[in-house]
Protein backbone atom coordinates (compact mmCIF):
# COMPACT_ATOMS: atom_id res chain seq x y z
CA UNK A 1 0.00 0.00 0.00
CA UNK A 2 1.39 3.37 -0.97
CA UNK A 3 2.11 6.01 1.65
CA UNK A 4 -0.27 8.39 -0.13
CA UNK A 5 -3.18 5.93 0.07
CA UNK A 6 -2.41 4.98 3.69
CA UNK A 7 -1.97 8.64 4.66
CA UNK A 8 -5.32 9.61 3.13
CA UNK A 9 -6.99 6.76 4.99
CA UNK A 10 -5.52 7.91 8.30
CA UNK A 11 -6.61 11.50 7.65
CA UNK A 12 -10.12 10.34 6.70
CA UNK A 13 -10.42 8.33 9.92
CA UNK A 14 -9.22 11.27 12.02
CA UNK A 15 -11.72 13.59 10.31
CA UNK A 16 -14.61 11.26 11.11
CA UNK A 17 -13.32 10.72 14.65
CA UNK A 18 -13.26 14.49 15.28
CA UNK A 19 -16.69 14.98 13.69
CA UNK A 20 -18.25 12.32 15.89
CA UNK A 21 -16.74 13.91 19.00
CA UNK A 22 -18.25 17.25 17.95
CA UNK A 23 -21.63 15.46 17.68
CA UNK A 24 -21.34 14.32 21.31
CA UNK A 25 -20.09 10.77 20.86
CA UNK A 26 -17.29 9.01 22.69
CA UNK A 27 -15.21 7.38 19.94
CA UNK A 28 -13.12 4.23 20.09
CA UNK A 29 -10.64 3.19 17.41
CA UNK A 30 -9.53 -0.21 16.16
CA UNK A 31 -6.22 -1.62 17.38
CA UNK A 32 -5.15 -3.16 14.07
CA UNK A 33 -4.88 -1.75 10.58
CA UNK A 34 -7.09 -4.42 9.01
CA UNK A 35 -10.12 -4.54 11.30
CA UNK A 36 -13.65 -4.88 9.96
CA UNK A 37 -14.74 -1.79 11.92
CA UNK A 38 -12.70 1.43 11.99
CA UNK A 39 -14.55 3.33 14.71
CA UNK A 40 -17.12 2.61 17.41
CA UNK A 41 -19.07 5.63 18.62
CA UNK A 42 -21.19 5.69 21.77
CA UNK A 43 -23.45 8.61 22.65
CA UNK A 44 -23.31 8.88 26.47
CA UNK A 45 -26.69 10.62 26.78
CA UNK A 46 -28.74 8.36 24.51
CA UNK A 47 -26.72 5.14 24.76
CA UNK A 48 -26.74 4.85 20.97
CA UNK A 49 -23.81 2.82 19.67
CA UNK A 50 -22.71 3.06 16.05
CA UNK A 51 -20.09 1.09 14.11
CA UNK A 52 -18.24 2.75 11.23
CA UNK A 53 -16.11 1.75 8.27
CA UNK A 54 -14.42 4.96 7.12
CA UNK A 55 -13.83 5.54 3.42
CA UNK A 56 -11.81 8.28 1.81
CA UNK A 57 -14.16 10.03 -0.62
CA UNK A 58 -13.16 9.28 -4.20
CA UNK A 59 -14.56 10.78 -7.37
CA UNK A 60 -14.62 9.74 -11.02
CA UNK A 61 -13.15 11.94 -13.73
CA UNK A 62 -16.59 13.52 -14.27
CA UNK A 63 -16.77 14.46 -10.57
CA UNK A 64 -19.39 11.94 -9.47
CA UNK A 65 -18.86 10.15 -6.16
CA UNK A 66 -17.64 6.55 -6.16
CA UNK A 67 -19.87 4.65 -3.75
CA UNK A 68 -18.41 1.76 -1.79
CA UNK A 69 -20.05 -1.33 -0.35
CA UNK A 70 -19.29 -3.48 2.66
CA UNK A 71 -16.82 -6.33 2.20
CA UNK A 72 -18.18 -9.89 2.43
CA UNK A 73 -16.55 -10.38 5.85
CA UNK A 74 -18.33 -7.25 7.09
CA UNK A 75 -21.71 -8.45 5.78
CA UNK A 76 -21.09 -11.82 7.43
CA UNK A 77 -20.26 -10.06 10.71
CA UNK A 78 -23.50 -8.08 10.48
CA UNK A 79 -25.54 -11.22 9.82
CA UNK A 80 -23.98 -13.11 12.72
CA UNK A 81 -23.95 -10.27 15.27
CA UNK A 82 -27.08 -8.33 14.34
CA UNK A 83 -24.99 -5.13 14.43
CA UNK A 84 -24.91 -2.64 11.56
CA UNK A 85 -21.68 -1.28 10.07
CA UNK A 86 -22.14 2.15 8.53
CA UNK A 87 -19.99 3.41 5.69
CA UNK A 88 -18.97 7.02 6.20
CA UNK A 89 -17.06 9.12 3.68
CA UNK A 90 -14.43 11.75 4.47
CA UNK A 91 -13.13 14.16 1.85
CA UNK A 92 -9.44 14.71 2.61
CA UNK A 93 -9.34 17.82 0.40
CA UNK A 94 -12.36 19.73 1.76
CA UNK A 95 -12.45 18.02 5.20
CA UNK A 96 -16.17 17.31 4.74
CA UNK A 97 -17.66 14.20 6.35
CA UNK A 98 -20.68 12.52 4.75
CA UNK A 99 -22.94 10.08 6.56
CA UNK A 100 -25.09 8.30 3.95
CA UNK A 101 -28.65 7.33 4.86
CA UNK A 102 -28.54 4.54 7.38
CA UNK A 103 -29.56 1.20 5.94
CA UNK A 104 -31.12 -1.85 7.55
CA UNK A 105 -29.05 -4.93 8.29
CA UNK A 106 -29.62 -7.73 5.80
CA UNK A 107 -31.39 -10.66 7.43
Amino acid sequence: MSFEKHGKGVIATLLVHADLIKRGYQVFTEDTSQGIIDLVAVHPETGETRYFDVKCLARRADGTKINRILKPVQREFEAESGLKIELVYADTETYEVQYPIRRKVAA
Side-chain angles (χ1 to χ4, degrees):
M1 178 183 305
S2 72
F3 176 76
E4 181 179 337
K5 183 175 181 180
H6 175 74
K8 283 186 175 185
V10 170
I11 291 168
T13 300
L14 291 171
L15 287 169
V16 174
H17 191 144
D19 188 67
L20 287 166
I21 290 171
K22 286 193 275 185
R23 293 171 184 255
Y25 288 89
Q26 291 185 4
V27 183
F28 304 91
T29 59
E30 64 171 329
D31 63 353
T32 67
S33 63
Q34 297 297 318
I36 59 172
I37 297 171
D38 293 323
L39 300 171
V40 176
V42 179
H43 199 285
E45 293 176 13
T46 65
E48 178 185 35
T49 302
R50 296 170 72 179
Y51 306 89
F52 294 100
D53 184 21
V54 178
K55 299 295 183 190
C56 186
L57 182 68
R59 297 197 179 275
R60 295 178 184 86
D62 66 2
T64 57
K65 177 176 144 184
I66 298 173
N67 289 302
R68 307 292 182 187
I69 60 171
L70 293 179
K71 297 173 188 164
V73 67
Q74 292 171 313
R75 290 194 301 272
E76 184 178 314
F77 172 81
E78 283 188 331
E80 291 174 0
S81 69
L83 301 174
K84 178 173 45 179
I85 300 172
E86 299 177 58
L87 293 175
V88 59
Y89 298 91
D91 189 328
T92 59
E93 293 180 14
T94 66
Y95 306 115
E96 178 185 1
V97 177
Q98 298 177 6
Y99 298 88
I101 296 172
R102 296 175 75 181
R103 60 182 178 70
K104 293 183 180 182
V105 176

